[in-house]
Amino acid sequence: MTKIEVNGARLAYDETGSGSPVVLLHAGIADRRMWHAQLDALAVRHRVIAVDLRGYGESELPSTAFAHHDDVAGLLDALDLPRAALVGCSFGGAVAIDTALAYPARVSALALLGTAVSGHEWSEQTNDLWESLVGEVDPEDFAATAAGEVRFWVVGPERDRADVDPNLVAFATAMDERALAAELALSAVDIAELDPPASGRLDELTMPVLVMAGAADVPDIRHLADRIAAEAPHAVRLPDVPDAAHLLPLERPAPVNAALLDFLPAAQG
């Protein structure tokens, strides 16, 4: 683990490999540890950087205002990288998209895995699923909240907890409890959002885009993947990965790594 100064905050990251640069951006219920199966796999062809976004994992959270997409561009500056491919999962995918819209010359390609999109409003179906699967939880009870979020996102609405590797559930729960503490701290800081948000601007993503989702993820995520593929001019939508939910690269690393290795060299030329 290394820390580097980015826009007044010290961000933690892991780096391995050499070649064209790839930055991995974690889900909001996780941190950079979710990419452990991608680091060595991608390092055979790429310089791979897995970063903890500001406030998450081992990265710092000064009280000054910031934007996550500015931090990604600042990370590239700090590492002396003119451009990089961004690989994002969930919230990390939303940050990757925002970065590509705010700094299009800095992003050579986007790989979006179960991604969120800034400005997207969750459907009534998703809200109903949350109520049926999780219900009311005390947001200050990190253990209970993490258990609910892992049930919803990591297990997914179409599976039972017994269907999922217990080691994955335990690891995801530990990461999510830490992420919830990060989000509580982040709520006291002024975070600038992309304006206008990405939801109405997907056609501006002119770089190559790879879109993947887990077949067991919530329907809104799969629909967002379809929408990105339809609206981004150079997007490729792969079939949903069977028996995988929201933390797709952690749960099913083999198909994810194969897809990324196939996509990234052609994308960066």
Side-chain angles (χ1 to χ4, degrees):
M1 186 271 289
T2 307
K3 287 193 174 184
I4 193 166
E5 180 98 2
V6 174
N7 297 334
R10 288 176 57 79
L11 302 187
Y13 69 98
D14 297 320
E15 180 177 346
T16 187
S18 60
S20 54
V22 177
V23 177
L24 308 177
L25 301 172
H26 60 81
I29 60 172
D31 53 53
R32 75 182 194 281
R33 291 176 292 169
M34 68 166 284
W35 299 109
H36 66 81
Q38 281 68 53
L39 283 167
D40 290 341
L42 298 182
V44 298
R45 297 180 189 168
H46 302 281
R47 179 182 177 186
V48 189
I49 299 136
V51 63
D52 281 333
L53 293 167
R54 187 185 300 218
Y56 290 89
E58 296 177 282
S59 288
E60 295 176 353
L61 182 64
S63 59
T64 52
F66 77 101
H68 286 297
H69 52 273
D70 290 340
D71 276 358
V72 176
L75 176 67
L76 299 183
D77 290 340
L79 295 172
D80 198 25
L81 295 173
R83 304 173 80 215
L86 304 182
V87 179
C89 178
S90 185
F91 170 66
V95 173
I97 294 170
D98 286 356
T99 306
L101 292 172
Y103 302 94
R106 309 299 301 275
V107 180
S108 59
L110 282 175
L112 306 170
L113 314 174
T115 193
V117 175
S118 63
H120 170 74
E121 294 187 8
W122 297 110
S123 68
E124 186 175 339
Q125 178 189 20
T126 294
N127 293 330
D128 290 345
L129 277 173
W130 177 271
E131 287 302 317
S132 65
L133 293 172
V134 181
E136 295 275 343
V137 291
D138 180 356
E140 296 185 2
D141 186 340
F142 291 165
T145 303
E149 290 189 341
V150 167
R151 171 66 187 92
F152 188 78
W153 294 111
V154 180
V155 175
E158 300 170 6
R159 300 189 294 185
D160 294 325
R161 180 170 173 144
D163 298 330
V164 182
D165 180 354
N167 292 322
L168 171 67
V169 170
F171 182 43
T173 301
M175 283 196 296
D176 194 22
E177 288 189 21
R178 188 169 185 175
L180 288 165
E183 289 173 358
L184 179 62
L186 283 160
S187 68
V189 178
D190 184 11
I191 305 176
E193 305 292 341
L194 187 69
D195 185 22
S199 181
R201 302 173 59 188
L202 297 173
D203 61 342
E204 297 177 36
L205 297 174
T206 56
M207 65 288 297
V209 178
L210 178 70
V211 190
M212 299 178 68
D217 208 339
V218 300
D220 266 26
I221 293 296
R222 305 199 304 273
H223 295 157
L224 275 175
D226 293 338
R227 187 176 159 215
I228 294 165
E231 296 183 24
H234 306 294
V236 175
R237 168 77 156 99
L238 294 187
D240 290 341
V241 178
D243 197 26
H246 202 51
L247 294 185
L248 176 58
L250 184 60
E251 186 171 13
R252 294 288 178 258
V256 169
N257 294 348
L260 291 175
L261 285 168
D262 184 59
F263 168 74
L264 290 170
Q268 299 187 79

